[in-house]
Amino acid sequence: EFRPSLGSFIIFTEMMKALDLREETLAFFDRLQMANLLSRDAEDKLLLSICRWPRRTRRGDFVDISAFLLEILTILQRGSSSDKKPGIHLWTKLIEEMYTSAKADSSLWSHIGAAMRTILESYTGRPLNRKLVSIGLDASSFSNDPELASLLIQRSSTQNSGDGTDIDALPYEAIKSALETCLKTSDAKSAESILESMEKLDDKYPMQAKEKLYSLLLLCHAKDGNAVAAWHDLSTMVERDMNPGDDLFGAVLHALIIDGRQEEADNLFQSMEKKKNGIKIFPGALSFDAMLLGRIRSHSWDEAITLYEEMNKRAIIPSPQTIQGLILAYYHKGGQSAVKSIVNSLLQKDGLSFTERTFRLVSKILFKEVDTNLDDFRKKVRDIGEEDSTLRKVSLNLIRSVRVAEIESGRPKTIHKTEEEMKLIRDRAWVVATSRLLEFVEAFPKN
């Protein structure tokens, strides 16, 4: 009985490629499967040939094969639960092709992630080569799937050295990117799993790299509201001769205060300047922000003001959050006159960031509460200026400055300026608007 060889089938599919008959090729493969003409190994080789579908026509025009690759993915996923399970090398080739297409079609990243999960679940005893792991980690990052990154790193860390999947498959940048995805999605559980896998590699990473990875875990716990875990991470870093800075201390202090652990926060804050491994950690804006938040939450206005005075002595530039807390503290201590004084003092300092929220808070205390879209506010100021000619200039200055600040706040991103540059422009606009507001309320008789 005549049985066509694998080679003849491959030649036939090459002819189909020349004519760009993708659907017909897959239909032909389906018929071969139904007729059971090929062994599993032969099916893999034929599908491998089909995966190498040309991306350009004979005339050089680009061919989008994304949908075609997804159909092949469906075939492989169907086969992964059958007796004729596709070989891991076939999955690798398909995922490499999907990875190439994903650079132009971002919707493929989630499908690559799904393919990686199928491999992890259906090929538990098979090692993953380093390229497959790398693509999987990219997919987890682009699709915001830290659990996939955790599973891949855990699988890779347990593979034996010498199979092409040793420590080189887990570069520092890959683990850092995975932890950054955990932080972005607030997935502390996956972050913990990733660090546990990293620990199995012992001293494969330099101290500076370990410090960065542990800091990301700490920030995950802090963002997740797990103050105890974040504090433990901080203690571990100190014990291991790492040097956590104000950003990490500030994150832990904030988590402790939000968790109602004011006493622990006070003790940690006071311990910062004690030498650890011969190095002092000086509290910065983030740590003071957290401590000021605690004082505001407990209505300890005098202590809040004392904290600000200490910041002033150390020439620490307060953040917008600190400024807002400080304004509240002065209001509760001395009313509107105290707020005018501290706002005027702050406006004289260089490098301060005033945000729209700061402007709204000052307006609420000194003039009127600002509506969501600021339209009613501008109308009220305009009416006052029209009714009293002596206030016309200051009212127009305030209206214009608020409008400029609104425009800058709503300006879309541009390639000509960095995000930091745009933020400085926005903050500066609200500094001017707040300054104009102070001039207006000083001139307004009812204030």
Side-chain angles (χ1 to χ4, degrees), residues 77-227:
Q77 287 175 325
R78 186 172 61 234
S80 65
S81 58
S82 70
D83 294 334
K84 297 172 71 173
K85 187 180 294 185
I88 194 75
H89 64 286
L90 179 54
W91 278 100
T92 302
K93 180 58 183 175
L94 174 63
I95 289 174
E96 286 175 359
E97 293 294 331
M98 292 175 69
Y99 175 73
T100 299
S101 293
K103 295 173 183 177
D105 182 359
S106 60
S107 67
L108 286 177
W109 286 116
S110 61
H111 295 288
I112 294 174
M116 292 303 307
R117 285 180 177 275
T118 300
I119 292 172
L120 290 168
E121 292 166 5
S122 302
Y123 299 81
T124 54
R126 299 294 299 274
L128 307 181
N129 67 47
R130 102 184 30 151
K131 188 166 187 180
L132 198 59
V133 172
S134 177
I135 292 174
L137 290 174
D138 281 347
S140 74
S141 176
F142 283 108
S143 57
N144 290 325
D145 185 0
E147 185 183 28
L148 174 60
S150 170
L151 293 171
L152 281 167
I153 292 171
Q154 185 178 28
R155 174 79 163 264
S156 298
S157 68
T158 59
Q159 292 180 174
N160 293 326
S161 194
D163 58 11
T165 56
D166 55 11
I167 182 61
D168 290 335
L170 291 171
Y172 159 70
E173 287 296 334
I175 293 187
K176 182 167 84 72
S177 177
L179 285 171
E180 286 171 343
T181 303
C182 293
L183 179 58
K184 182 179 178 181
T185 58
S186 302
D187 190 345
K189 183 178 179 181
S190 292
E192 290 170 359
S193 174
I194 290 169
L195 260 293
E196 285 175 11
S197 297
M198 191 198 78
E199 288 290 342
K200 293 178 182 177
L201 302 170
D202 198 24
D203 293 324
K204 299 287 186 179
Y205 296 100
M207 180 60 73
Q208 188 176 6
K210 284 185 177 181
E211 185 173 319
K212 178 62 178 177
L213 298 178
Y214 271 97
S215 69
L216 286 168
L217 176 63
L218 183 155
L219 292 172
C220 278
H221 282 139
K223 186 179 179 182
D224 196 43
N226 193 337

Side-chain angles (χ1 to χ4, degrees), residues 49-62:
S49 172
I50 294 172
C51 281
R52 300 190 180 100
W53 200 270
R55 294 177 180 272
R56 291 193 179 275
T57 64
R58 288 182 175 181
R59 295 187 304 177
D61 298 326
F62 176 74

Side-chain angles (χ1 to χ4, degrees), residues 396-443:
L396 284 174
N397 286 342
L398 175 55
I399 291 168
R400 288 166 181 162
S401 66
V402 170
R403 186 59 189 144
V404 168
E406 266 192 302
I407 291 170
E408 294 300 340
S409 294
R411 196 180 295 280
K413 291 182 179 180
T414 171
I415 60 173
H416 303 296
K417 288 185 175 67
T418 65
E419 179 60 34
E420 184 61 29
E421 288 172 333
M422 293 183 71
K423 180 181 180 302
L424 288 173
I425 292 171
R426 287 195 301 269
D427 291 351
R428 181 59 193 164
W430 286 110
V431 166
V432 173
T434 307
S435 177
R436 297 303 187 196
L437 174 61
L438 206 59
E439 291 174 2
F440 176 79
V441 296
E442 289 288 358

